[in-house]
Structures are given as structure tokens and as C-alpha cells.
């Protein structure tokens, strides 16, 4: 079974890779995909072999945590973690400002010894109260032969602290006696912690916006329901109860403006317009703006809202079985999935931290060889700056953040994308193959087959609203459209012309649709197939991108990578354009993330000194730039939310 599990404690791409690698190594887990921006793991596992508790224990061992079966919601846990992070950041800034005031001599404490010793105490307070988690996580990573961003932060701050502590007590005897100028760098250690915490705080704040689509969907779920029961005297009683207590078969009452609590079947309905019907706004699920009429026997979905009238319903699907719950689960899984390019980035992130550690060591040795013992302080500072500035966060966030926002944006437009690969592939589509009945057209209800007039084309089907407009938009984008229909030639030609489609085939069987897809692919085309029935599944399974109609069969939706919840086919070109913009955003993010490292690592190492230029990025500014790089990637990705 597949399950999306929230992960707590991840801060960089290497964290996500380490969690994914650990989960994948466990017996009973067929596959795991961990998303840093979503802070979740999509795990495919056999519950008869491995339990969630076992997974949690193994992940705890490497410094992270899985949120399973807890009395607190994920939102509450994340809110508490954010609050603690905020308090740590504020305290760290207070200590940093105090320490900077002392080191810059804005506050004078007398002798150099007293100044250094007070700085030492302030630094210890900051490392213990604000930065302790970096060392705890780094140690757990070391024990399991892994490394992440916390490793770099722990190394750089520990080196700065230890070197400064040595200088506080023995600096004059060691360096001063030899005529070498010496300093302490407690402010550098504290500012590294402060900037990293600030970056994480801003990143978490920005991440809330990337996850807004999930929160909106979850906000559609009702927390309570009105259950209709009988008391001991046989009198009817209506009680408000938590939705979690509802069972299939319970009778519920839903009033105007209230959310339908579960999926079910209408037993009776009434409104001021009619005595036997109510009208329900289903736009949040289907995208249809007109309220749907609901009479006895009609199905209603959780999250929809009666706009006129009230009704009583019998609960059918509850909890995780409702259509809304399935939609939420699909979006969560899609946001946790990985595009092919992300797999490459993950491999880079896995070796990035050790490589950076080697670069820092190389920088230290080179400075020491060139400058001798007199340049030892400079060698240490240069190595620390390299450790700090080369954080893989921006690189790791580049792809998943953009994909997460793109998939969420699509969900808000009633387009459900199952995985990141589908979103990436949509941009390459140059041919769309579409079914006719149920996709382009709607079969008419209540046909009298004894009357010849009711068998005319116009009577049997109606063109879906905006279908012709959607086909024109696709063709204007340079995408060829083929219509495939099992109907007779006359009907197929009529509806193809009505939809503005030049290429069509009539009297086709499921195999014919599959063969057309194969033929187009053999010509080098990237084919998207859109259909709604069992007869479309062969072609859907073969297509480069498969699109199902939300009102179609469950089989078609299971096979498809993309599902349109409503009947508005204009969402297909919308999804293709969103794919193009999302992938463009991914490459923009990756470009800047790599450029950042390519430019900043040499500057932190002090390479400009080789050309006679007295400039170097100090550890303090390295931490600020590192934090800014991660935030900029997230903020850049959020621009997708405003794409029309």
C-alpha cells in the first residue's frame, strides 16, 4: 500500500535523500520518495512485513521523525515547531547583536581578556540554546556515515568556537609572542547560527504558501455532522457530532451553507424553489459554476455545499474513502513524487556535503602552505566560509518547490496531476488524441428510442461547453488533434466539424485507438490521450500523457496520469501551459543554485587574493548569502501561483 507520511526535522536536500535512502533500505518497503518542500515521504510498503512504528524508529535513529498515529494533527506539530524555531531565532539575534556590539567595540568592557571571556559566554549560550540541534543531528548523521547541511553548520561553528576559545586563553602566548596579529571569532560562529535559523524561519514561512492548495482542499472537509437518530421514546433527535464518529448507513441532515460531511445518497430534499429537490454547489470539486439539482437517489460528495434548500442523506463513503479524501491523497502523493531531473540532483546532494568538506580542508591547507603559520587564522576563516556558503539547500529546493507549487496550482483549477513526471511531460505534447462520447460530447438523457426524431444527432448528444474553444486553443498552440469515435461515419464527421477537428476516425475499436497512439509515437510525436471509458484504457496506458475525465469510469481514472474534475476541456491547454512554465521555473532555479555555488565558493576560499584583489566573503556574510539563496528559490517558485 502507498501512504504519504509527514517528516519532521528535514532542512536540506541531503536530509531528504538520507531519509529516502534509509526508508528504501528497510525490508518491506518497495519504494520511497521524500519531498523536502512538502516535508513528507510517499512510501510504498507491505504492512504485513513492516509497521509504521518500525519506520519511525529507524528514521529517529538518523535524526528525523515520522508523524504517525498521534493525538496532534500535522498542522499542530508544524505550528509548534515553527514557534520554537521563531523563539530560537529571536534569542539568537539578541545574542548576536550583543556579541557584535562587543566585538565592534560599541560596548566597552575594559580589557581584551574580559571582552573575549564575555564573548565566549555569549557564544556558549547561543550554541547551546539556539544551535544545539545542529550538533545533535550532525552526530547522528556521523554515526550512520551520512552528512547534511547540519554537518556543515556544526563543523564551521565548532571550528570557529574552538579556535576562538584557544585564542581567548592562549592567543597572546602563541601568536602575540611571535608578532602575529590574532583575534577571536565568536561573532562569526553566532552569526552563522543566526543567519541559518533566520533562513529556515523565512523558508518555512514561504513554504506555507507552497502548500496552500493542500490546506484549501483540507479546509473543504467538514469537522462535524448533524446525525438524525431516535431517542428512547422513539422521537426524532438531531445531534451535532464529529465526522469521525459517522458510520456508513447513518442518516444525516445538511442545511444551506453547511458542508456535506461525507459521500452519500439523498433520501429527501426540499427548497423554496421545489418541494422535492435541493441545489448543491459542487464547483470546488467539478469546477461547474451552476449548482447541481439533488433529488431522492442523487449522490452527494463531501465538501460540497447546499446553496438552496436542505436534504437528508444516507452516509455511504466516509473518512479516507470519500472522493474529496482521494483528491487530497492524490495531490499529496503527486507533490511528494519526483521528476526525473530531481533524481540526478538527489545523487549530487548525497555527495555534495563530503565534497564541500574536502574543499574546505583543501582551502585550509593551501592557505597554510602559501602563508605559513602567520596565515593560520586566515586559513581557518577561509575554510569556515567555504563550509558555510556551500549549502546544498538551494539546489535541493530548486526542483521540488516549483513542482509542488505547479501541481497545487493545477489542483486549484480542477486538474489533478498524479505525479511530477506527468507535469514535466505535458510540456512536450504535440498531439492530442481524444475520445468523442463523454469527452467532447455529453450523451442526452431520456432518449425515446421509438421516436425517429430522438435518434437524430442533435438529440443523442450535445457538445460540451467550451469544447470547440479548447480544441482551437490547442491547435493554435501547434498541437494536432485527432478525434476517435466508435460511432458511425456520419455522426463522427458531424461532431468533428462541430468541434473544429480536422483529423477523425469513425467505427473504431479500443485496439484502433491504441494503434493510432503507437503510429503517432513511431513518427516521433509526444502523444496525450484523453478519454473517459473502459474502451479508452488501452490507449491511455500507452500514451506519453494520459488524461481522464473526472466523470468517467474508475478504470480510466486509475490508468490516467491527469484527471479533469469538470467538463471544461480548456483545462487541458491550461495544464500544458502550466507545465511549460513550471519546467522553465525548475531550470531557472537550478541555474541560479549552481551559479551561486560556482561563484561563491571560490570567493569564500579567497581566490581573488591570487589576483591581488583584497576581497573575500567572510563566514558571517557566507551564512547570510546561503540563507538568501534558499529563500530566493522558494520565492521564485511562488511566482507560479500568480500565473493565469
Amino acid at each position: 500500500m502507498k501512504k504519504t507520511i509527514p517528516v519532521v526535522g528535514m532542512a536540506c536536500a541531503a536530509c531528504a535523500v538520507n531519509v529516502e535512502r534509509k526508508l528504501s533500505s528497510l525490508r518491506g518497503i518497495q519504494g520511497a520518495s521524500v519531498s523536502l518542500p512538502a516535508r513528507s515521504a510517499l512510501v510504498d510498503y507491505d504492512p504485513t512485513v513492516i509497521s509504521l512504528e518500525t519506520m519511525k524508529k529507524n528514521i529517529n535513529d538518523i535524526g528525523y521523525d515520522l508523524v504517525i498515529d498521534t493525538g496532534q494533527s500535522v498542522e499542530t506539530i508544524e505550528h509548534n515547531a515553527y514557534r520554537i524555531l521563531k523563539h530560537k531565532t529571536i534569542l539568537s539575534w539578541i545574542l548576536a547583536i550583543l556579541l557584535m556590539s562587543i566585538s565592534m567595540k560599541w560596548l566597552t568592557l575594559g580589557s581584551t581578556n574580559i571582552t573575549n571571556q564575555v564573548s565566549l559566554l555569549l557564544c556558549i549560550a547561543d550554541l547551546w540554546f539556539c544551535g544545539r540541534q545542529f550538533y545533535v543531528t550532525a552526530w547522528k548523521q556521523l554515526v550512520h556515515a551520512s552528512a547534511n547541511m547540519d554537518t556543515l553548520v556544526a563543523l564551521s561553528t565548532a571550528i570557529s568556537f574552538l579556535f576562538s576559545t584557544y585564542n581567548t586563553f592562549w592567543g597572546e602566548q602563541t601568536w602575540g609572542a611571535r608578532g602575529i596579529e590574532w583575534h577571536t571569532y565568536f561573532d562569526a560562529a553566532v552569526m552563522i547560527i543566526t543567519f541559518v535559523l533566520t533562513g529556515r524561519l523565512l523558508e518555512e514561512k514561504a513554504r506555507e504558501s507552497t502548500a496552500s492548495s493542500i490546506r484549501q482542499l483540507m479546509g473543504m472537509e467538514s469537522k462535524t455532522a448533524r446525525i438524525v437518530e431516535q431517542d428512547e421514546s422513539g422521537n426524532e433527535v438531531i445531534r451535532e457530532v464529529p465526522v469521525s464518529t459517522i458510520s456508513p448507513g447513518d442518516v444525516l441532515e445538511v442545511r444551506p451553507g453547511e458542508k456535506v460531511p461525507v459521500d452519500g445518497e439523498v433520501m429527501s430534499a426540499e427548497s423554496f424553489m421545489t418541494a422535492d429537490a435541493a441545489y448543491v454547489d459542487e464547483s470546488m470539486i467539478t469546477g461547474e459554476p451552476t449548482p447541481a439539482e439533488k433529488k431522492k437517489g442523487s449522490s452527494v460528495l463531501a465538501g460540497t455545499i447546499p446553496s438552496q434548500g436542505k436534504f437528508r442523506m444516507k452516509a455511504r463513503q466516509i473518512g479516507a474513502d470519500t472522493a474529496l479524501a482521494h483528491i487530497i491523497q492524490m495531490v499529496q502523493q503527486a507533490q511528494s513524487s519526483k521528476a526525473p531531473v530531481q533524481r540526478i540532483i538527489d545523487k549530487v546532494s548525497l555527495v555534495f556535503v563530503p565534497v564541500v568538506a574536502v574543499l574546505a580542508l583543501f582551502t585550509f591547507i593551501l592557505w597554510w602552505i602559501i602563508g605559513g603559520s602567520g596565515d593560520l587564522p586566515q586559513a581557518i576563516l577561509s575554510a569556515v566560509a567555504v563550509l558555510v556558503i556551500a549549502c546544498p539547500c538551494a539546489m535541493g529546493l530548486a526542483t521540488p518547490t516549483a513542482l509542488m507549487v505547479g501541481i497545487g496550482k493545477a489542483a486549484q483549477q480542477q486538474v489533478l496531476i498524479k505525479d511530477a513526471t506527468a507535469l514535466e511531460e505535458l510540456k512536450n505534447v504535440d498531439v492530442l488524441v481524444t475520445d468523442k462520447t463523454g469527452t467532447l460530447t455529453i450523451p442526452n438523457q431520456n432518449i425515446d428510442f421509438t421516436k425517429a426524431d430522438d435518434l437524430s444527432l442533435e438529440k443523442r448528444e450535445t457538445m460540451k461547453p467550451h469544447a470547440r474553444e479548447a480544441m482551437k486553443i490547442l491547435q493554435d498552440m501547434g498541437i494536432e488533434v485527432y478525434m476517435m469515435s466508435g460511432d458511425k461515419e456520419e455522426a463522427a464527421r458531424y461532431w468533428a466539424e462541430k468541434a473544429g477537428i480536422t483529423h477523425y476516425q469513425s467505427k473504431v475499436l479500443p485496439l484502433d485507438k491504441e494503434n493510432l497512439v503507437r503510429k503517432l509515437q513511431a513518427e516521433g510525436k509526444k502523444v496525450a490521450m484523453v478519454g473517459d471509458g473502459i474502451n479508452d484504457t488501452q490507449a491511455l496506458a500507452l500514451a506519453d500523457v494520459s488524461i481522464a475525465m473526472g466523470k468517467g469510469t474508475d478504470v480510466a481514472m486509475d490508468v490516467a496520469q491527469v484527471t479533469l474534475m469538470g467538463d471544461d476541456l480548456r483545462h487541458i491547454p491550461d495544464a500544458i501551459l502550466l507545465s511549460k512554465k513550471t519546467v522553465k521555473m525548475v531550470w531557472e532555479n537550478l541555474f541560479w543554485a549552481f551559479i551561486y555555488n560556482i561563484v561563491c565558493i571560490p570567493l569564500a576560499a579567497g581566490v581573488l587574493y591570487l589576483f591581488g584583489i583584497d576581497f573575500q566573503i567572510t563566514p558571517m556574510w557566507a551564512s547570510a548569502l546561503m540563507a538568501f539563496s534558499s529563500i530566493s528559490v522558494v520565492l521564485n517558485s511562488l511566482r507560479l501561483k500568480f500565473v493565469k
Side-chain angles (χ1 to χ4, degrees):
M1 65 179 290
K2 284 188 177 182
K3 187 177 180 65
T4 302
I5 309 171
V7 183
V8 176
M10 295 192 300
C12 67
C15 297
V17 175
N18 287 332
V19 174
E20 184 174 303
R21 185 171 62 169
K22 186 65 177 178
L23 286 171
S24 300
S25 69
L26 300 178
R27 181 173 167 270
I29 294 182
Q30 285 81 41
S33 177
V34 177
S35 170
L36 174 61
R39 301 298 194 271
S40 65
L42 175 58
V43 184
D44 186 0
Y45 71 103
D46 184 348
T48 64
V49 178
I50 187 170
S51 66
L52 293 174
E53 288 74 18
T54 302
M55 295 184 212
K56 180 182 176 74
K57 181 183 181 303
N58 279 273
I59 296 305
N60 284 344
D61 288 344
I62 61 171
Y64 310 100
D65 193 18
L66 299 182
V67 181
I68 61 169
D69 296 332
T70 175
Q72 291 182 306
S73 67
V74 175
E75 290 76 17
T76 302
I77 292 171
E78 289 184 341
H79 175 74
N80 290 339
Y82 179 82
R83 182 172 52 81
I84 292 169
L85 176 60
K86 184 177 180 180
H87 291 163
K88 284 183 178 179
T89 305
I90 292 171
L91 176 59
S92 193
W93 270 110
I94 292 171
L95 293 171
I97 290 170
L98 274 173
L99 194 50
M100 289 296 292
S101 299
I102 293 170
S103 65
M104 300 294 289
K105 294 185 170 50
W106 300 333
L107 289 176
T108 55
L109 301 176
S111 68
T112 301
N113 281 340
I114 294 174
T115 299
N116 288 341
Q117 288 168 17
V118 171
S119 298
L120 169 63
L121 293 175
L122 288 173
C123 187
I124 289 173
D126 189 78
L127 297 183
W128 177 258
F129 292 107
C130 306
R132 184 168 67 250
Q133 188 58 41
F134 294 114
Y135 298 96
V136 172
T137 305
W139 174 254
K140 288 184 177 181
Q141 294 291 313
L142 180 63
V143 168
H144 289 84
S146 298
N148 63 5
M149 174 190 168
D150 288 354
T151 307
L152 298 180
V153 174
L155 265 177
S156 57
T157 53
I159 291 169
S160 299
F161 173 77
L162 293 173
F163 183 60
S164 299
T165 301
Y166 179 87
N167 283 353
T168 297
F169 298 105
W170 300 287
E172 186 59 36
Q173 300 96 301
T174 305
W175 314 112
R178 296 160 61 186
I180 300 172
E181 187 178 359
W182 62 275
H183 302 279
T184 58
Y185 303 98
F186 294 117
D187 54 345
V190 170
M191 288 309 298
I192 289 169
I193 295 291
T194 304
F195 277 126
V196 171
L197 289 175
T198 303
R200 288 189 180 180
L201 186 70
L202 295 175
E203 190 183 309
E204 285 297 311
K205 193 67 178 174
R207 189 182 70 85
E208 287 184 14
S209 298
T210 68
S212 62
S213 59
I214 286 291
R215 286 199 304 275
Q216 287 175 9
L217 288 169
M218 287 180 169
M220 290 162 56
E221 294 181 306
S222 179
K223 301 293 186 293
T224 60
R226 299 180 191 276
I227 188 168
V228 182
E229 298 177 319
Q230 290 185 335
D231 60 17
E232 295 176 355
S233 305
N235 298 318
E236 185 178 273
V237 178
I238 299 177
R239 293 188 302 115
E240 190 168 309
V241 298
V243 170
S244 58
T245 65
I246 299 299
S247 300
D250 285 346
V251 177
L252 311 174
E253 182 172 283
V254 186
R255 300 172 184 176
E258 297 178 347
K259 295 171 185 172
V260 177
V262 296
D263 292 359
E265 180 183 324
V266 174
M267 300 174 65
S268 64
E270 61 176 289
S271 68
F272 71 87
M273 296 179 65
T274 176
D276 65 346
Y279 295 86
V280 178
D281 179 4
E282 297 182 327
S283 60
M284 62 287 295
I285 300 290
T286 66
E288 302 294 338
T290 306
E293 184 182 65
K294 300 295 180 182
K295 294 184 175 182
K296 182 178 180 180
S298 298
S299 61
V300 285
L301 300 174
T304 58
I305 302 172
S307 54
Q308 294 177 19
K310 66 178 182 178
F311 58 84
R312 289 191 176 180
M313 59 178 285
K314 183 170 288 187
R316 296 298 189 199
Q317 285 79 38
I318 64 172
D321 294 326
T322 66
L324 178 58
H326 286 156
I327 291 171
I328 293 171
Q329 183 183 30
M330 185 183 293
V331 176
Q332 285 178 325
Q333 290 185 356
Q335 291 185 332
S336 297
S337 64
K338 295 190 176 183
V341 66
Q342 182 61 31
R343 299 290 178 185
I344 300 171
I345 300 301
D346 285 349
K347 290 178 181 177
V348 173
S349 298
L350 200 59
V351 299
F352 194 82
V353 173
V355 167
V356 168
V358 171
L359 281 175
L361 180 62
F362 179 74
T363 300
F364 171 78
I365 293 171
L366 201 61
W367 269 102
W368 201 5
I369 291 173
I370 293 173
S373 60
D375 270 342
L376 182 61
Q378 180 65 42
I380 291 174
L381 282 181
S382 299
V384 168
V386 170
L387 285 171
V388 173
I389 208 162
C391 169
C393 279
M395 184 172 60
L397 287 167
T399 300
T401 305
L403 291 172
M404 186 175 176
V405 177
I407 289 168
K409 175 78 173 177
Q412 291 173 342
Q413 302 298 319
Q414 284 78 45
V415 179
L416 300 182
I417 299 175
K418 278 189 178 178
D419 56 50
T421 302
L423 182 64
E424 190 174 356
E425 283 295 319
L426 270 167
K427 72 173 176 50
N428 300 319
V429 168
D430 44 29
V431 176
L432 179 82
V433 177
T434 177
D435 175 48
K436 176 177 73 69
T437 308
T439 303
L440 283 173
T441 65
I442 304 171
N444 285 6
Q445 305 297 315
N446 305 318
I447 297 174
D448 187 344
F449 289 94
T450 65
K451 295 180 180 179
D453 286 348
D454 275 12
L455 297 180
S456 63
L457 296 167
E458 294 85 350
K459 290 286 185 179
R460 286 168 53 201
E461 297 176 77
T462 56
M463 181 67 70
K464 284 188 177 179
H466 311 299
R468 183 182 178 91
E469 182 186 351
M471 297 304 109
K472 184 178 187 306
I473 294 171
L474 286 166
Q475 291 168 23
D476 288 345
M477 291 168 63
I479 296 173
E480 294 180 84
V481 180
Y482 288 77
M483 188 192 82
M484 303 290 282
S485 173
D487 215 337
K488 58 186 179 181
E489 168 66 22
E490 179 186 4
R493 182 174 65 251
Y494 173 84
W495 290 111
E497 290 174 354
K498 200 169 179 64
I501 298 172
T502 305
H503 308 292
Y504 71 91
Q505 289 184 29
S506 60
K507 299 180 181 179
V508 299
L509 298 172
L511 183 61
D512 297 318
K513 296 179 182 180
E514 180 185 341
N515 287 338
L516 175 63
V517 172
R518 287 187 188 279
K519 175 178 173 293
L520 292 168
Q521 288 174 330
E523 294 172 2
K525 308 281 189 182
K526 290 291 184 181
V527 182
M529 170 70 194
V530 56
D532 73 318
I534 294 174
N535 62 333
D536 299 316
T537 54
Q538 290 174 241
L540 286 169
L542 183 64
D544 297 288
V545 179
S546 47
I547 305 170
M549 306 304 295
K551 294 182 179 178
T553 64
D554 290 341
V555 176
M557 286 188 281
D558 285 343
V559 171
Q561 298 164 293
V562 180
T563 301
L564 304 184
M565 293 308 297
D567 280 329
D568 194 339
L569 294 172
R570 292 178 299 179
H571 288 319
I572 296 176
D574 285 346
I576 293 171
L577 287 171
L578 181 62
S579 168
K580 291 181 178 180
K581 290 182 180 294
T582 302
V583 174
K584 180 184 176 185
M585 187 72 71
V586 166
W587 287 109
E588 280 181 12
N589 287 346
L590 286 174
F591 172 78
W592 289 114
F594 277 107
I595 286 294
Y596 162 82
N597 280 301
I598 289 170
V599 171
C600 289
I601 289 176
L603 290 178
V607 72
L608 291 183
Y609 283 108
L610 297 175
F611 303 97
I613 301 173
D614 186 10
F615 176 81
Q616 183 180 15
I617 298 175
T618 64
M620 183 181 75
W621 287 111
S623 59
L625 285 169
M626 180 271 292
F628 175 75
S629 70
S630 300
I631 297 164
S632 64
V633 165
V634 177
L635 293 178
N636 189 44
S637 298
L638 286 175
R639 292 195 296 118
L640 283 170
K641 294 185 69 174
F642 306 103
V643 170
K644 293 185 179 179

